Amino acid sequence: MLESADSASPHAHRTEEQVPDRTEVADRTEVPDRTEVAARTEASDRVSGARRFTPPTWLVVALACAGQFLVVLDVSVVNVALPSVRADLGLTPAGLQWVVNAYAIAFAGFLLLGGRAGDLWGRKRMFLAGLALFTLASLGGGLAQADWQLLAARAVQGLGAAVLAPSTLTLLTAAVPEGPARARAVATWTAVGAGGGAAGGLVGGLLVDVLNWRWVLLINVPVGAVVLIGATLWLTESRAGDRRRPDLPGALLVTAGLALLAYGIVQTEARGWTAPATLVPLCAGALLIGVFLLVESRTADPLMPLGLLRRRAVAAANAAMFLSGSALFCMWYFMTLYAQNVLGYSPLEAGFALVPGSFAVIAGSKAAPRLMRRLGARTVAGCGALMSAAGFAWQSTMSVHGAYVTAIMIPGVLMLLGAGFSGTPLASLATSGAAPGEAGLLSGLINTSRTMGGSLGLAVMSTIAASASGPLTTPAALTSGYVAVFRTGTGVLLCGALLMFLWLPGRGERAVRAGR
């Protein structure tokens, strides 16, 4: 907890006032009244006592996990609602993709700024601000009457999530000391986040079938209000202790660069890779990312200190999370489309189809700390990526008349169990040994890597699916596109596993293990 210079022990103040130098007493013409000194001391004691209040660890973990659940839920909850959204608002296939990507790109682009803001201005304050913005944007999206209104609301949701998400992890790591207890807490945070992504299909399907697609966004309003009240009452404030200005230009540059890259990739579906409508945004996006790196290398208070990437654990964990996220993020999108567009499932049936995967990712996340004690973080992360790759390879054998058990359930369980195994050690490695002023930044960085990889991965995979399926929208053509996506994802995850085994710190290095 932050202790400012004027909040020193009240007994120290009494010593200075009650035992002054004798020569100073002789020269004084006025002596403070004893009642005035006592009043000041009593007030100081009250302030000090208030600052010493610490909420129970389980309560901090519960509130942090609730915030993370909402953030991740909204990445996937809209997937099963996309056909209904398209019918109601008249979105094009590319527009449907932007319902997902508007959220993901704003989320990824501002995560680093959100993490830094929490370090500078207070983690509780940013948690509350991000959650309030996220909740209001959910209300706006649920009431949208035109496609641009929905896309704008989704982008604002992503901004709110970017402010909220880093604080969920830093509040948790500040409340739990490094070691086995923190590994268990991070595993719970990872499991809840992964469970939010897995539960999105079920929650979305239920809401669309029973009510309508608008409730996949409106449901955030009462839940967000409850978490806001709880966080206001029970969380305590903490920050890194300095008042540097956040790097807003850096945040705008990286967000604009990501958006242009994603837009350029989407354009390849209709225009090809050599058309000006594709090349201009791709080149502009790459230029802005380059300018962002230049600004970060020269500014006094960078959004992303490039020196952090010289740490092996940080660089390797973020690179691995980027690759994993680029495949796993779009898995929900294409699995729900396959279930509805090819197998003919209703939104609710599509949501139920992914329930076994929901339990698998939670089980993997909770089992990871125990495995980390025995095998080390690198081995657990790499084996998790290999398991996910096996699930992707199995899913790539899908057919038009696939049976539920072999076409969805078993490959889904493999993909998500592996994701649970790899997510916890990567998050632990990426945030291990963080100084107080770096906690929010490193938390934001690992979330940025996952979401940035996911948003760009979705744009690339959508283009691959469209190229493989061609202009036809028959079940057979759509299945060809989905097969191409999961084959590509298999290759990406195998590359990610190789990177983890070769680059992540091993047991004899600065590895983070739950039993340490």
Short mmCIF file of all heavy atoms in Angstrom, two decimals, residues 285-332:
data_model
loop_
_atom_site.label_atom_id
_atom_site.label_comp_id
_atom_site.label_asym_id
_atom_site.label_seq_id
_atom_site.Cartn_x
_atom_site.Cartn_y
_atom_site.Cartn_z
N GLY A 285 -0.10 0.36 -41.30
CA GLY A 285 -0.07 -0.28 -39.98
C GLY A 285 1.33 -0.65 -39.57
O GLY A 285 1.74 -0.42 -38.42
N ALA A 286 2.11 -1.23 -40.49
CA ALA A 286 3.49 -1.58 -40.18
C ALA A 286 4.31 -0.34 -39.85
O ALA A 286 5.16 -0.34 -38.95
CB ALA A 286 4.10 -2.33 -41.35
N LEU A 287 4.06 0.77 -40.58
CA LEU A 287 4.78 2.02 -40.32
C LEU A 287 4.47 2.55 -38.92
O LEU A 287 5.37 2.97 -38.19
CB LEU A 287 4.40 3.05 -41.38
CG LEU A 287 5.03 4.45 -41.21
CD1 LEU A 287 6.55 4.35 -41.32
CD2 LEU A 287 4.47 5.41 -42.27
N LEU A 288 3.19 2.51 -38.55
CA LEU A 288 2.81 3.01 -37.22
C LEU A 288 3.41 2.15 -36.11
O LEU A 288 3.82 2.68 -35.07
CB LEU A 288 1.29 3.05 -37.10
CG LEU A 288 0.58 4.16 -37.89
CD1 LEU A 288 -0.92 4.05 -37.71
CD2 LEU A 288 1.08 5.54 -37.47
N ILE A 289 3.47 0.84 -36.31
CA ILE A 289 4.11 -0.02 -35.31
C ILE A 289 5.60 0.32 -35.19
O ILE A 289 6.17 0.37 -34.10
CB ILE A 289 3.92 -1.51 -35.67
CG1 ILE A 289 2.44 -1.88 -35.62
CG2 ILE A 289 4.72 -2.39 -34.73
CD1 ILE A 289 1.81 -1.78 -34.26
N GLY A 290 6.24 0.59 -36.35
CA GLY A 290 7.64 1.00 -36.32
C GLY A 290 7.84 2.32 -35.59
O GLY A 290 8.78 2.47 -34.81
N VAL A 291 6.94 3.29 -35.86
CA VAL A 291 7.02 4.58 -35.16
C VAL A 291 6.80 4.38 -33.66
O VAL A 291 7.45 5.02 -32.82
CB VAL A 291 5.99 5.57 -35.74
CG1 VAL A 291 5.95 6.86 -34.91
CG2 VAL A 291 6.33 5.89 -37.19
N PHE A 292 5.89 3.49 -33.30
CA PHE A 292 5.64 3.19 -31.89
C PHE A 292 6.91 2.71 -31.21
O PHE A 292 7.27 3.16 -30.12
CB PHE A 292 4.53 2.14 -31.78
CG PHE A 292 4.44 1.48 -30.44
CD1 PHE A 292 3.93 2.16 -29.34
CD2 PHE A 292 4.87 0.16 -30.26
CE1 PHE A 292 3.86 1.55 -28.09
CE2 PHE A 292 4.79 -0.45 -29.02
CZ PHE A 292 4.28 0.24 -27.94
N LEU A 293 7.62 1.77 -31.85
CA LEU A 293 8.87 1.26 -31.27
C LEU A 293 9.91 2.36 -31.15
O LEU A 293 10.67 2.42 -30.17
CB LEU A 293 9.39 0.09 -32.11
CG LEU A 293 8.51 -1.16 -32.14
CD1 LEU A 293 9.08 -2.19 -33.10
CD2 LEU A 293 8.37 -1.75 -30.75
N LEU A 294 9.97 3.27 -32.15
CA LEU A 294 10.91 4.38 -32.09
C LEU A 294 10.59 5.32 -30.94
O LEU A 294 11.47 5.75 -30.19
CB LEU A 294 10.89 5.14 -33.42
CG LEU A 294 11.84 6.33 -33.55
CD1 LEU A 294 13.29 5.88 -33.44
CD2 LEU A 294 11.60 7.07 -34.87
N VAL A 295 9.29 5.64 -30.80
CA VAL A 295 8.87 6.51 -29.69
C VAL A 295 9.19 5.88 -28.35
O VAL A 295 9.67 6.55 -27.42
CB VAL A 295 7.35 6.81 -29.82
CG1 VAL A 295 6.81 7.46 -28.55
CG2 VAL A 295 7.08 7.71 -31.02
N GLU A 296 8.94 4.58 -28.24
CA GLU A 296 9.19 3.90 -26.96
C GLU A 296 10.67 3.89 -26.61
O GLU A 296 11.03 3.89 -25.43
CB GLU A 296 8.66 2.46 -27.02
CG GLU A 296 7.16 2.38 -27.21
CD GLU A 296 6.39 3.17 -26.18
OE1 GLU A 296 6.30 2.73 -25.02
OE2 GLU A 296 5.89 4.27 -26.52
N SER A 297 11.53 3.87 -27.61
CA SER A 297 12.98 3.85 -27.34
C SER A 297 13.52 5.21 -26.93
O SER A 297 14.62 5.29 -26.39
CB SER A 297 13.73 3.34 -28.58
OG SER A 297 13.63 4.28 -29.64
N ARG A 298 12.74 6.28 -27.16
CA ARG A 298 13.25 7.63 -26.90
C ARG A 298 12.51 8.39 -25.82
O ARG A 298 13.04 9.36 -25.28
CB ARG A 298 13.22 8.44 -28.19
CG ARG A 298 14.09 7.88 -29.29
CD ARG A 298 14.23 8.81 -30.47
NE ARG A 298 15.15 8.29 -31.46
CZ ARG A 298 15.54 8.96 -32.52
NH1 ARG A 298 15.08 10.18 -32.76
NH2 ARG A 298 16.40 8.41 -33.38
N THR A 299 11.26 8.01 -25.51
CA THR A 299 10.51 8.76 -24.53
C THR A 299 11.01 8.48 -23.12
O THR A 299 11.54 7.39 -22.84
CB THR A 299 9.01 8.42 -24.62
OG1 THR A 299 8.27 9.26 -23.76
CG2 THR A 299 8.75 6.97 -24.23
N ALA A 300 10.85 9.45 -22.23
CA ALA A 300 11.35 9.30 -20.87
C ALA A 300 10.55 8.27 -20.09
O ALA A 300 11.10 7.53 -19.27
CB ALA A 300 11.29 10.66 -20.15
N ASP A 301 9.24 8.22 -20.30
CA ASP A 301 8.37 7.30 -19.59
C ASP A 301 7.59 6.45 -20.60
O ASP A 301 6.43 6.72 -20.89
CB ASP A 301 7.39 8.06 -18.68
CG ASP A 301 8.11 8.88 -17.63
OD1 ASP A 301 9.03 8.34 -17.00
OD2 ASP A 301 7.75 10.06 -17.46
N PRO A 302 8.24 5.45 -21.19
CA PRO A 302 7.59 4.70 -22.27
C PRO A 302 6.44 3.84 -21.78
O PRO A 302 6.42 3.38 -20.63
CB PRO A 302 8.72 3.84 -22.82
CG PRO A 302 9.64 3.65 -21.67
CD PRO A 302 9.59 4.94 -20.89
N LEU A 303 5.50 3.63 -22.67
CA LEU A 303 4.40 2.72 -22.39
C LEU A 303 4.94 1.30 -22.22
O LEU A 303 4.51 0.56 -21.34
CB LEU A 303 3.40 2.77 -23.55
CG LEU A 303 2.16 1.89 -23.47
CD1 LEU A 303 1.25 2.35 -22.35
CD2 LEU A 303 1.40 1.93 -24.80
N MET A 304 5.86 0.90 -23.07
CA MET A 304 6.47 -0.42 -23.00
C MET A 304 7.98 -0.27 -23.00
O MET A 304 8.59 -0.18 -24.08
CB MET A 304 6.03 -1.29 -24.18
CG MET A 304 6.52 -2.73 -24.06
SD MET A 304 6.03 -3.75 -25.49
CE MET A 304 7.13 -3.09 -26.75
N PRO A 305 8.60 -0.20 -21.84
CA PRO A 305 10.08 -0.12 -21.82
C PRO A 305 10.68 -1.31 -22.55
O PRO A 305 10.49 -2.46 -22.14
CB PRO A 305 10.39 -0.15 -20.31
CG PRO A 305 9.14 0.32 -19.64
CD PRO A 305 8.02 -0.18 -20.50
N LEU A 306 11.37 -1.03 -23.64
CA LEU A 306 11.90 -2.12 -24.46
C LEU A 306 12.93 -2.95 -23.71
O LEU A 306 13.19 -4.09 -24.07
CB LEU A 306 12.49 -1.55 -25.76
CG LEU A 306 11.50 -0.78 -26.64
CD1 LEU A 306 12.20 -0.29 -27.91
CD2 LEU A 306 10.30 -1.65 -27.01
N GLY A 307 13.51 -2.36 -22.66
CA GLY A 307 14.48 -3.10 -21.87
C GLY A 307 13.88 -4.32 -21.20
O GLY A 307 14.60 -5.30 -20.91
N LEU A 308 12.57 -4.30 -20.93
CA LEU A 308 11.93 -5.46 -20.32
C LEU A 308 12.06 -6.70 -21.20
O LEU A 308 12.13 -7.82 -20.69
CB LEU A 308 10.44 -5.17 -20.06
CG LEU A 308 10.10 -4.18 -18.96
CD1 LEU A 308 8.60 -3.97 -18.91
CD2 LEU A 308 10.62 -4.68 -17.62
N LEU A 309 12.07 -6.49 -22.51
CA LEU A 309 12.13 -7.62 -23.42
C LEU A 309 13.53 -8.24 -23.47
O LEU A 309 13.71 -9.27 -24.13
CB LEU A 309 11.69 -7.18 -24.82
CG LEU A 309 10.24 -6.70 -24.90
CD1 LEU A 309 9.89 -6.30 -26.32
CD2 LEU A 309 9.27 -7.76 -24.40
N ARG A 310 14.51 -7.60 -22.79
CA ARG A 310 15.82 -8.24 -22.69
C ARG A 310 15.81 -9.33 -21.62
O ARG A 310 16.76 -10.12 -21.54
CB ARG A 310 16.89 -7.20 -22.38
CG ARG A 310 17.21 -6.31 -23.57
CD ARG A 310 18.51 -5.56 -23.36
NE ARG A 310 18.38 -4.51 -22.35
CZ ARG A 310 18.06 -3.25 -22.62
NH1 ARG A 310 17.83 -2.88 -23.87
NH2 ARG A 310 17.97 -2.36 -21.66
N ARG A 311 14.78 -9.35 -20.78
CA ARG A 311 14.65 -10.43 -19.81
C ARG A 311 14.12 -11.68 -20.53
O ARG A 311 13.07 -11.64 -21.15
CB ARG A 311 13.68 -10.05 -18.69
CG ARG A 311 14.09 -8.81 -17.92
CD ARG A 311 13.08 -8.54 -16.83
NE ARG A 311 13.28 -7.24 -16.23
CZ ARG A 311 12.47 -6.71 -15.31
NH1 ARG A 311 11.41 -7.40 -14.90
NH2 ARG A 311 12.70 -5.51 -14.82
N ARG A 312 14.82 -12.75 -20.39
CA ARG A 312 14.48 -13.96 -21.14
C ARG A 312 13.07 -14.44 -20.82
O ARG A 312 12.30 -14.78 -21.72
CB ARG A 312 15.49 -15.06 -20.82
CG ARG A 312 15.22 -16.35 -21.56
CD ARG A 312 16.30 -17.36 -21.25
NE ARG A 312 16.00 -18.65 -21.86
CZ ARG A 312 16.77 -19.72 -21.72
NH1 ARG A 312 17.89 -19.64 -21.01
NH2 ARG A 312 16.44 -20.85 -22.29
N ALA A 313 12.71 -14.48 -19.53
CA ALA A 313 11.40 -15.00 -19.16
C ALA A 313 10.28 -14.15 -19.74
O ALA A 313 9.28 -14.67 -20.25
CB ALA A 313 11.27 -15.06 -17.63
N VAL A 314 10.44 -12.82 -19.69
CA VAL A 314 9.40 -11.91 -20.19
C VAL A 314 9.27 -12.04 -21.70
O VAL A 314 8.15 -12.19 -22.23
CB VAL A 314 9.73 -10.46 -19.78
CG1 VAL A 314 8.73 -9.49 -20.43
CG2 VAL A 314 9.69 -10.30 -18.27
N ALA A 315 10.39 -11.98 -22.41
CA ALA A 315 10.34 -12.03 -23.88
C ALA A 315 9.80 -13.37 -24.37
O ALA A 315 8.93 -13.43 -25.24
CB ALA A 315 11.72 -11.77 -24.45
N ALA A 316 10.30 -14.46 -23.79
CA ALA A 316 9.89 -15.78 -24.26
C ALA A 316 8.43 -16.06 -23.94
O ALA A 316 7.68 -16.59 -24.78
CB ALA A 316 10.77 -16.86 -23.62
N ALA A 317 7.99 -15.70 -22.73
CA ALA A 317 6.60 -15.97 -22.34
C ALA A 317 5.63 -15.17 -23.20
O ALA A 317 4.57 -15.67 -23.61
CB ALA A 317 6.39 -15.65 -20.86
N ASN A 318 5.97 -13.93 -23.52
CA ASN A 318 5.08 -13.10 -24.34
C ASN A 318 5.05 -13.57 -25.79
O ASN A 318 4.00 -13.56 -26.43
CB ASN A 318 5.49 -11.64 -24.24
CG ASN A 318 4.93 -10.97 -23.00
OD1 ASN A 318 3.79 -10.54 -22.96
ND2 ASN A 318 5.76 -10.90 -21.96
N ALA A 319 6.20 -13.97 -26.32
CA ALA A 319 6.21 -14.50 -27.68
C ALA A 319 5.39 -15.79 -27.77
O ALA A 319 4.62 -15.99 -28.72
CB ALA A 319 7.65 -14.76 -28.13
N ALA A 320 5.53 -16.65 -26.76
CA ALA A 320 4.76 -17.89 -26.75
C ALA A 320 3.27 -17.61 -26.61
O ALA A 320 2.43 -18.26 -27.25
CB ALA A 320 5.24 -18.79 -25.61
N MET A 321 2.91 -16.64 -25.78
CA MET A 321 1.50 -16.30 -25.60
C MET A 321 0.92 -15.71 -26.88
O MET A 321 -0.25 -15.96 -27.21
CB MET A 321 1.34 -15.32 -24.44
CG MET A 321 -0.10 -15.08 -24.03
SD MET A 321 -0.87 -16.54 -23.30
CE MET A 321 -0.37 -16.39 -21.58
N PHE A 322 1.71 -14.93 -27.61
CA PHE A 322 1.25 -14.37 -28.88
C PHE A 322 0.91 -15.48 -29.87
O PHE A 322 -0.16 -15.47 -30.50
CB PHE A 322 2.34 -13.46 -29.46
CG PHE A 322 1.96 -12.80 -30.76
CD1 PHE A 322 1.36 -11.56 -30.77
CD2 PHE A 322 2.22 -13.42 -31.98
CE1 PHE A 322 1.00 -10.94 -31.97
CE2 PHE A 322 1.87 -12.82 -33.18
CZ PHE A 322 1.26 -11.58 -33.17
N LEU A 323 1.80 -16.46 -30.02
CA LEU A 323 1.55 -17.55 -30.95
C LEU A 323 0.36 -18.40 -30.52
O LEU A 323 -0.51 -18.75 -31.32
CB LEU A 323 2.80 -18.43 -31.08
CG LEU A 323 3.95 -17.86 -31.89
CD1 LEU A 323 5.15 -18.79 -31.85
CD2 LEU A 323 3.53 -17.63 -33.34
N SER A 324 0.30 -18.73 -29.23
CA SER A 324 -0.81 -19.54 -28.74
C SER A 324 -2.13 -18.81 -28.92
O SER A 324 -3.13 -19.39 -29.35
CB SER A 324 -0.61 -19.88 -27.26
OG SER A 324 0.56 -20.64 -27.06
N GLY A 325 -2.13 -17.51 -28.58
CA GLY A 325 -3.36 -16.73 -28.70
C GLY A 325 -3.85 -16.62 -30.12
O GLY A 325 -5.06 -16.62 -30.37
N SER A 326 -2.93 -16.55 -31.09
CA SER A 326 -3.34 -16.40 -32.49
C SER A 326 -4.12 -17.62 -32.98
O SER A 326 -4.96 -17.51 -33.87
CB SER A 326 -2.11 -16.17 -33.37
OG SER A 326 -1.27 -17.33 -33.38
N ALA A 327 -3.86 -18.79 -32.38
CA ALA A 327 -4.60 -19.98 -32.76
C ALA A 327 -5.83 -20.20 -31.88
O ALA A 327 -6.94 -20.41 -32.36
CB ALA A 327 -3.69 -21.20 -32.69
N LEU A 328 -5.63 -20.12 -30.56
CA LEU A 328 -6.70 -20.49 -29.63
C LEU A 328 -7.84 -19.47 -29.61
O LEU A 328 -8.99 -19.83 -29.37
CB LEU A 328 -6.12 -20.66 -28.22
CG LEU A 328 -5.19 -21.87 -28.07
CD1 LEU A 328 -4.41 -21.79 -26.77
CD2 LEU A 328 -5.98 -23.17 -28.13
N PHE A 329 -7.53 -18.20 -29.84
CA PHE A 329 -8.56 -17.16 -29.81
C PHE A 329 -9.63 -17.43 -30.87
O PHE A 329 -10.83 -17.31 -30.61
CB PHE A 329 -7.91 -15.80 -30.04
CG PHE A 329 -8.86 -14.63 -30.01
CD1 PHE A 329 -9.16 -14.00 -28.81
CD2 PHE A 329 -9.44 -14.15 -31.17
CE1 PHE A 329 -10.02 -12.91 -28.78
CE2 PHE A 329 -10.30 -13.07 -31.15
CZ PHE A 329 -10.59 -12.44 -29.95
N CYS A 330 -9.21 -17.79 -32.09
CA CYS A 330 -10.17 -17.98 -33.17
C CYS A 330 -10.82 -19.34 -33.13
O CYS A 330 -11.76 -19.61 -33.89
CB CYS A 330 -9.50 -17.75 -34.52
SG CYS A 330 -8.16 -18.89 -34.88
N MET A 331 -10.36 -20.23 -32.25
CA MET A 331 -10.98 -21.55 -32.13
C MET A 331 -12.45 -21.44 -31.78
O MET A 331 -13.31 -22.12 -32.36
CB MET A 331 -10.21 -22.35 -31.08
CG MET A 331 -10.88 -23.62 -30.63
SD MET A 331 -11.59 -23.40 -28.98
CE MET A 331 -12.37 -25.00 -28.74
N TRP A 332 -12.80 -20.54 -30.84
CA TRP A 332 -14.20 -20.37 -30.43
C TRP A 332 -15.04 -19.88 -31.61
O TRP A 332 -16.17 -20.35 -31.82
CB TRP A 332 -14.30 -19.35 -29.30
CG TRP A 332 -13.51 -19.70 -28.08
CD1 TRP A 332 -12.35 -19.14 -27.65
CD2 TRP A 332 -13.83 -20.73 -27.13
NE1 TRP A 332 -11.92 -19.74 -26.50
CE2 TRP A 332 -12.80 -20.72 -26.16
CE3 TRP A 332 -14.86 -21.65 -27.03
CZ2 TRP A 332 -12.80 -21.59 -25.08
CZ3 TRP A 332 -14.86 -22.52 -25.95
CH2 TRP A 332 -13.84 -22.48 -25.00
#
